[in-house]
Amino acid sequence: MLDRAYAPYSKFHVGCALLTEAGKMYTGCNVENASYGITICAERSAISAAVAAEGPKMRVRAMVVLNSQTMACSPCGACRQVIYEFGPKSLVIYQGEGKLAEATAEQLLPAGFHF
């Protein structure tokens, strides 16, 4: 998915693959915009694809997020909340300092918002 990212401004390509509780795989990539605030991250792109395919009851089991710079980069705050919404116990694997890191969505967002 890294090669599909649209990142003409930052040149920071991010790809995500996720596994749902239903056993299906979905991918996403970051899509930048000149108005940076409306850029979509790879994690939310993959989750959107999963919801579009499986419906609103889709739940994330695990996801992997990688970037083209191979630098430490955990999901941003907005992505943490969206991941939490669809799988608070899901495993999130991302690039840490010199190696892959992993945490659950709850660990990444310990006081996640929910109704």
Side-chain angles (χ1 to χ4, degrees):
M1 271 290 100
L2 291 173
D3 63 334
R4 301 273 175 121
Y6 178 73
Y9 309 106
S10 72
K11 310 291 190 244
F12 191 75
H13 295 221
V14 182
C16 176
L18 71 81
L19 175 67
T20 68
E21 290 290 339
K24 305 285 185 184
M25 294 278 295
Y26 300 94
T27 59
C29 61
N30 59 319
V31 179
E32 292 181 350
N33 191 277
S35 177
Y36 255 40
I38 60 175
T39 291
I40 185 161
C41 297
E43 299 93 326
R44 287 181 282 142
S45 174
I47 289 171
S48 295
V51 171
E54 293 187 19
K57 296 206 184 281
M58 182 284 298
R59 292 295 169 259
V60 176
R61 180 184 303 170
M63 70 168 39
V64 177
V65 187
L66 300 175
N67 67 73
S68 60
Q69 307 297 323
T70 63
M71 63 184 283
C73 184
S74 65
C76 74
C79 287
R80 290 176 189 215
Q81 178 61 45
V82 174
I83 297 164
Y84 181 90
E85 177 97 7
F86 289 98
K89 306 257 183 238
S90 63
L91 178 64
V92 181
I93 300 168
Y94 56 94
Q95 287 174 236
E97 291 293 332
K99 63 181 180 176
L100 292 178
E102 62 180 58
T104 66
E106 286 178 322
Q107 290 170 323
L108 289 173
L109 191 69
F113 178 79
H114 60 88
F115 283 111

mmCIF file of all heavy atoms in Angstrom, residues 64-97:
data_model
loop_
_atom_site.group_PDB
_atom_site.id
_atom_site.type_symbol
_atom_site.label_atom_id
_atom_site.label_comp_id
_atom_site.label_asym_id
_atom_site.label_seq_id
_atom_site.Cartn_x
_atom_site.Cartn_y
_atom_site.Cartn_z
ATOM 1 N N VAL A 64 -1.474 -3.552 10.900
ATOM 2 C CA VAL A 64 -0.061 -3.225 10.771
ATOM 3 C C VAL A 64 0.023 -1.917 10.004
ATOM 4 O O VAL A 64 -0.644 -1.745 8.984
ATOM 5 C CB VAL A 64 0.705 -4.327 10.006
ATOM 6 C CG1 VAL A 64 2.168 -3.943 9.822
ATOM 7 C CG2 VAL A 64 0.583 -5.658 10.721
ATOM 8 N N VAL A 65 0.845 -0.996 10.504
ATOM 9 C CA VAL A 65 1.019 0.314 9.876
ATOM 10 C C VAL A 65 2.515 0.533 9.638
ATOM 11 O O VAL A 65 3.309 0.447 10.572
ATOM 12 C CB VAL A 65 0.479 1.449 10.781
ATOM 13 C CG1 VAL A 65 0.521 2.776 10.048
ATOM 14 C CG2 VAL A 65 -0.923 1.142 11.277
ATOM 15 N N LEU A 66 2.878 0.804 8.375
ATOM 16 C CA LEU A 66 4.280 1.030 8.021
ATOM 17 C C LEU A 66 4.399 2.325 7.242
ATOM 18 O O LEU A 66 3.447 2.751 6.584
ATOM 19 C CB LEU A 66 4.812 -0.131 7.176
ATOM 20 C CG LEU A 66 4.774 -1.510 7.827
ATOM 21 C CD1 LEU A 66 5.206 -2.569 6.826
ATOM 22 C CD2 LEU A 66 5.639 -1.562 9.068
ATOM 23 N N ASN A 67 5.588 2.923 7.279
ATOM 24 C CA ASN A 67 5.818 4.148 6.506
ATOM 25 C C ASN A 67 7.064 4.014 5.650
ATOM 26 O O ASN A 67 7.938 3.196 5.924
ATOM 27 C CB ASN A 67 5.882 5.375 7.426
ATOM 28 C CG ASN A 67 7.089 5.374 8.332
ATOM 29 O OD1 ASN A 67 8.204 5.602 7.894
ATOM 30 N ND2 ASN A 67 6.874 5.108 9.617
ATOM 31 N N SER A 68 7.127 4.825 4.618
ATOM 32 C CA SER A 68 8.215 4.752 3.638
ATOM 33 C C SER A 68 9.545 5.246 4.184
ATOM 34 O O SER A 68 10.591 4.955 3.606
ATOM 35 C CB SER A 68 7.849 5.556 2.393
ATOM 36 O OG SER A 68 7.636 6.923 2.726
ATOM 37 N N GLN A 69 9.539 5.958 5.259
ATOM 38 C CA GLN A 69 10.777 6.487 5.838
ATOM 39 C C GLN A 69 11.393 5.520 6.843
ATOM 40 O O GLN A 69 12.456 5.795 7.388
ATOM 41 C CB GLN A 69 10.505 7.830 6.543
ATOM 42 C CG GLN A 69 9.809 8.852 5.679
ATOM 43 C CD GLN A 69 10.622 9.276 4.470
ATOM 44 O OE1 GLN A 69 11.834 9.389 4.553
ATOM 45 N NE2 GLN A 69 9.965 9.504 3.368
ATOM 46 N N THR A 70 10.697 4.420 7.110
ATOM 47 C CA THR A 70 11.103 3.425 8.120
ATOM 48 C C THR A 70 11.525 4.088 9.429
ATOM 49 O O THR A 70 12.515 3.709 10.036
ATOM 50 C CB THR A 70 12.197 2.467 7.594
ATOM 51 O OG1 THR A 70 13.378 3.205 7.286
ATOM 52 C CG2 THR A 70 11.728 1.691 6.378
ATOM 53 N N MET A 71 10.774 5.090 9.819
ATOM 54 C CA MET A 71 11.050 5.772 11.079
ATOM 55 C C MET A 71 9.933 5.473 12.083
ATOM 56 O O MET A 71 8.832 5.095 11.697
ATOM 57 C CB MET A 71 11.172 7.285 10.862
ATOM 58 C CG MET A 71 9.910 7.945 10.352
ATOM 59 S SD MET A 71 10.113 9.697 10.012
ATOM 60 C CE MET A 71 10.076 10.368 11.655
ATOM 61 N N ALA A 72 10.244 5.620 13.357
ATOM 62 C CA ALA A 72 9.246 5.387 14.393
ATOM 63 C C ALA A 72 8.050 6.297 14.161
ATOM 64 O O ALA A 72 8.203 7.502 13.947
ATOM 65 C CB ALA A 72 9.855 5.648 15.768
ATOM 66 N N CYS A 73 6.871 5.689 14.173
ATOM 67 C CA CYS A 73 5.664 6.469 13.911
ATOM 68 C C CYS A 73 4.450 5.660 14.339
ATOM 69 O O CYS A 73 4.044 4.726 13.645
ATOM 70 C CB CYS A 73 5.581 6.820 12.424
ATOM 71 S SG CYS A 73 4.182 7.877 12.037
ATOM 72 N N SER A 74 3.894 6.011 15.469
ATOM 73 C CA SER A 74 2.668 5.348 15.925
ATOM 74 C C SER A 74 1.469 6.083 15.331
ATOM 75 O O SER A 74 1.597 7.203 14.840
ATOM 76 C CB SER A 74 2.613 5.363 17.452
ATOM 77 O OG SER A 74 2.503 6.685 17.932
ATOM 78 N N PRO A 75 0.278 5.467 15.372
ATOM 79 C CA PRO A 75 -0.914 6.136 14.844
ATOM 80 C C PRO A 75 -1.167 7.477 15.542
ATOM 81 O O PRO A 75 -0.921 7.626 16.747
ATOM 82 C CB PRO A 75 -2.037 5.147 15.148
ATOM 83 C CG PRO A 75 -1.356 3.812 15.189
ATOM 84 C CD PRO A 75 -0.014 4.097 15.811
ATOM 85 N N CYS A 76 -1.673 8.435 14.779
ATOM 86 C CA CYS A 76 -1.992 9.752 15.338
ATOM 87 C C CYS A 76 -3.206 9.649 16.270
ATOM 88 O O CYS A 76 -3.880 8.616 16.340
ATOM 89 C CB CYS A 76 -2.246 10.754 14.214
ATOM 90 S SG CYS A 76 -3.836 10.551 13.365
ATOM 91 N N GLY A 77 -3.507 10.703 16.959
ATOM 92 C CA GLY A 77 -4.624 10.720 17.907
ATOM 93 C C GLY A 77 -5.970 10.421 17.268
ATOM 94 O O GLY A 77 -6.771 9.657 17.813
ATOM 95 N N ALA A 78 -6.239 11.013 16.110
ATOM 96 C CA ALA A 78 -7.513 10.761 15.425
ATOM 97 C C ALA A 78 -7.626 9.288 15.057
ATOM 98 O O ALA A 78 -8.679 8.665 15.239
ATOM 99 C CB ALA A 78 -7.633 11.642 14.186
ATOM 100 N N CYS A 79 -6.547 8.716 14.549
ATOM 101 C CA CYS A 79 -6.570 7.297 14.184
ATOM 102 C C CYS A 79 -6.727 6.417 15.418
ATOM 103 O O CYS A 79 -7.449 5.420 15.384
ATOM 104 C CB CYS A 79 -5.306 6.924 13.416
ATOM 105 S SG CYS A 79 -5.309 7.572 11.742
ATOM 106 N N ARG A 80 -6.083 6.778 16.501
ATOM 107 C CA ARG A 80 -6.223 5.991 17.734
ATOM 108 C C ARG A 80 -7.680 5.918 18.162
ATOM 109 O O ARG A 80 -8.175 4.866 18.561
ATOM 110 C CB ARG A 80 -5.367 6.599 18.855
ATOM 111 C CG ARG A 80 -3.890 6.418 18.623
ATOM 112 C CD ARG A 80 -3.063 7.116 19.686
ATOM 113 N NE ARG A 80 -1.664 7.087 19.313
ATOM 114 C CZ ARG A 80 -0.663 6.970 20.175
ATOM 115 N NH1 ARG A 80 -0.906 6.883 21.468
ATOM 116 N NH2 ARG A 80 0.573 6.955 19.741
ATOM 117 N N GLN A 81 -8.390 7.031 18.075
ATOM 118 C CA GLN A 81 -9.804 7.042 18.456
ATOM 119 C C GLN A 81 -10.635 6.172 17.515
ATOM 120 O O GLN A 81 -11.494 5.418 17.948
ATOM 121 C CB GLN A 81 -10.355 8.472 18.486
ATOM 122 C CG GLN A 81 -11.836 8.554 18.816
ATOM 123 C CD GLN A 81 -12.198 8.000 20.188
ATOM 124 O OE1 GLN A 81 -11.533 8.266 21.183
ATOM 125 N NE2 GLN A 81 -13.263 7.214 20.247
ATOM 126 N N VAL A 82 -10.371 6.250 16.217
ATOM 127 C CA VAL A 82 -11.136 5.455 15.250
ATOM 128 C C VAL A 82 -10.826 3.965 15.412
ATOM 129 O O VAL A 82 -11.725 3.125 15.388
ATOM 130 C CB VAL A 82 -10.884 5.942 13.804
ATOM 131 C CG1 VAL A 82 -11.566 5.037 12.793
ATOM 132 C CG2 VAL A 82 -11.386 7.375 13.640
ATOM 133 N N ILE A 83 -9.559 3.618 15.615
ATOM 134 C CA ILE A 83 -9.199 2.217 15.860
ATOM 135 C C ILE A 83 -9.918 1.727 17.114
ATOM 136 O O ILE A 83 -10.507 0.642 17.128
ATOM 137 C CB ILE A 83 -7.672 2.043 16.005
ATOM 138 C CG1 ILE A 83 -6.942 2.430 14.722
ATOM 139 C CG2 ILE A 83 -7.333 0.604 16.395
ATOM 140 C CD1 ILE A 83 -5.439 2.650 14.897
ATOM 141 N N TYR A 84 -9.890 2.529 18.170
ATOM 142 C CA TYR A 84 -10.546 2.190 19.432
ATOM 143 C C TYR A 84 -12.042 1.930 19.225
ATOM 144 O O TYR A 84 -12.605 1.001 19.783
ATOM 145 C CB TYR A 84 -10.315 3.332 20.422
ATOM 146 C CG TYR A 84 -10.901 3.123 21.784
ATOM 147 C CD1 TYR A 84 -10.159 2.498 22.787
ATOM 148 C CD2 TYR A 84 -12.187 3.557 22.093
ATOM 149 C CE1 TYR A 84 -10.695 2.317 24.056
ATOM 150 C CE2 TYR A 84 -12.725 3.376 23.350
ATOM 151 C CZ TYR A 84 -11.981 2.754 24.324
ATOM 152 O OH TYR A 84 -12.511 2.569 25.580
ATOM 153 N N GLU A 85 -12.671 2.746 18.419
ATOM 154 C CA GLU A 85 -14.105 2.610 18.133
ATOM 155 C C GLU A 85 -14.449 1.243 17.551
ATOM 156 O O GLU A 85 -15.469 0.664 17.867
ATOM 157 C CB GLU A 85 -14.524 3.711 17.150
ATOM 158 C CG GLU A 85 -15.963 3.649 16.697
ATOM 159 C CD GLU A 85 -16.883 4.562 17.483
ATOM 160 O OE1 GLU A 85 -16.392 5.350 18.313
ATOM 161 O OE2 GLU A 85 -18.079 4.486 17.255
ATOM 162 N N PHE A 86 -13.558 0.737 16.690
ATOM 163 C CA PHE A 86 -13.835 -0.513 15.996
ATOM 164 C C PHE A 86 -13.074 -1.710 16.551
ATOM 165 O O PHE A 86 -13.155 -2.795 15.988
ATOM 166 C CB PHE A 86 -13.551 -0.348 14.494
ATOM 167 C CG PHE A 86 -14.558 0.518 13.814
ATOM 168 C CD1 PHE A 86 -14.294 1.854 13.584
ATOM 169 C CD2 PHE A 86 -15.791 0.013 13.430
ATOM 170 C CE1 PHE A 86 -15.231 2.672 12.972
ATOM 171 C CE2 PHE A 86 -16.742 0.811 12.825
ATOM 172 C CZ PHE A 86 -16.456 2.145 12.592
ATOM 173 N N GLY A 87 -12.347 -1.521 17.638
ATOM 174 C CA GLY A 87 -11.622 -2.649 18.225
ATOM 175 C C GLY A 87 -10.736 -2.250 19.361
ATOM 176 O O GLY A 87 -9.505 -2.243 19.210
ATOM 177 N N PRO A 88 -11.296 -1.924 20.514
ATOM 178 C CA PRO A 88 -10.457 -1.493 21.636
ATOM 179 C C PRO A 88 -9.417 -2.534 22.063
ATOM 180 O O PRO A 88 -8.361 -2.180 22.558
ATOM 181 C CB PRO A 88 -11.452 -1.199 22.759
ATOM 182 C CG PRO A 88 -12.749 -1.779 22.332
ATOM 183 C CD PRO A 88 -12.715 -1.925 20.852
ATOM 184 N N LYS A 89 -9.697 -3.791 21.828
ATOM 185 C CA LYS A 89 -8.750 -4.852 22.196
ATOM 186 C C LYS A 89 -7.866 -5.264 21.020
ATOM 187 O O LYS A 89 -7.032 -6.153 21.149
ATOM 188 C CB LYS A 89 -9.506 -6.072 22.699
ATOM 189 C CG LYS A 89 -10.465 -5.776 23.835
ATOM 190 C CD LYS A 89 -9.896 -6.207 25.140
ATOM 191 C CE LYS A 89 -10.911 -5.976 26.251
ATOM 192 N NZ LYS A 89 -10.433 -5.127 27.274
ATOM 193 N N SER A 90 -8.039 -4.623 19.868
ATOM 194 C CA SER A 90 -7.277 -4.998 18.675
ATOM 195 C C SER A 90 -5.783 -4.738 18.866
ATOM 196 O O SER A 90 -5.379 -3.834 19.588
ATOM 197 C CB SER A 90 -7.790 -4.245 17.452
ATOM 198 O OG SER A 90 -7.609 -2.855 17.599
ATOM 199 N N LEU A 91 -4.987 -5.555 18.199
ATOM 200 C CA LEU A 91 -3.531 -5.413 18.230
ATOM 201 C C LEU A 91 -3.115 -4.454 17.132
ATOM 202 O O LEU A 91 -3.529 -4.609 15.975
ATOM 203 C CB LEU A 91 -2.869 -6.775 18.012
ATOM 204 C CG LEU A 91 -1.347 -6.777 17.981
ATOM 205 C CD1 LEU A 91 -0.772 -6.343 19.331
ATOM 206 C CD2 LEU A 91 -0.840 -8.152 17.594
ATOM 207 N N VAL A 92 -2.305 -3.478 17.474
ATOM 208 C CA VAL A 92 -1.795 -2.500 16.507
ATOM 209 C C VAL A 92 -0.275 -2.648 16.466
ATOM 210 O O VAL A 92 0.401 -2.466 17.481
ATOM 211 C CB VAL A 92 -2.190 -1.059 16.895
ATOM 212 C CG1 VAL A 92 -1.673 -0.067 15.859
ATOM 213 C CG2 VAL A 92 -3.701 -0.936 17.076
ATOM 214 N N ILE A 93 0.237 -2.981 15.292
ATOM 215 C CA ILE A 93 1.675 -3.138 15.088
ATOM 216 C C ILE A 93 2.130 -1.970 14.221
ATOM 217 O O ILE A 93 1.517 -1.683 13.193
ATOM 218 C CB ILE A 93 1.988 -4.486 14.408
ATOM 219 C CG1 ILE A 93 1.487 -5.626 15.295
ATOM 220 C CG2 ILE A 93 3.484 -4.614 14.120
ATOM 221 C CD1 ILE A 93 1.470 -6.978 14.614
ATOM 222 N N TYR A 94 3.173 -1.286 14.660
ATOM 223 C CA TYR A 94 3.639 -0.090 13.958
ATOM 224 C C TYR A 94 5.154 0.018 14.102
ATOM 225 O O TYR A 94 5.765 -0.696 14.907
ATOM 226 C CB TYR A 94 2.951 1.168 14.491
ATOM 227 C CG TYR A 94 3.118 1.354 15.979
ATOM 228 C CD1 TYR A 94 4.146 2.134 16.489
ATOM 229 C CD2 TYR A 94 2.258 0.732 16.886
ATOM 230 C CE1 TYR A 94 4.315 2.294 17.857
ATOM 231 C CE2 TYR A 94 2.420 0.882 18.259
ATOM 232 C CZ TYR A 94 3.445 1.661 18.729
ATOM 233 O OH TYR A 94 3.616 1.808 20.089
ATOM 234 N N GLN A 95 5.759 0.909 13.337
ATOM 235 C CA GLN A 95 7.198 1.080 13.389
ATOM 236 C C GLN A 95 7.603 1.834 14.642
ATOM 237 O O GLN A 95 7.171 2.962 14.869
ATOM 238 C CB GLN A 95 7.686 1.802 12.134
ATOM 239 C CG GLN A 95 7.637 0.895 10.924
ATOM 240 C CD GLN A 95 7.957 1.585 9.635
ATOM 241 O OE1 GLN A 95 7.154 1.528 8.727
ATOM 242 N NE2 GLN A 95 9.102 2.212 9.533
ATOM 243 N N GLY A 96 8.410 1.174 15.466
ATOM 244 C CA GLY A 96 8.945 1.800 16.664
ATOM 245 C C GLY A 96 10.392 2.199 16.415
ATOM 246 O O GLY A 96 10.840 2.279 15.274
ATOM 247 N N GLU A 97 11.118 2.429 17.468
ATOM 248 C CA GLU A 97 12.531 2.810 17.374
ATOM 249 C C GLU A 97 13.373 1.604 16.952
ATOM 250 O O GLU A 97 13.703 0.751 17.761
ATOM 251 C CB GLU A 97 13.025 3.344 18.723
ATOM 252 C CG GLU A 97 12.431 4.672 19.128
ATOM 253 C CD GLU A 97 12.863 5.818 18.231
ATOM 254 O OE1 GLU A 97 13.965 5.772 17.641
ATOM 255 O OE2 GLU A 97 12.070 6.763 18.107
#
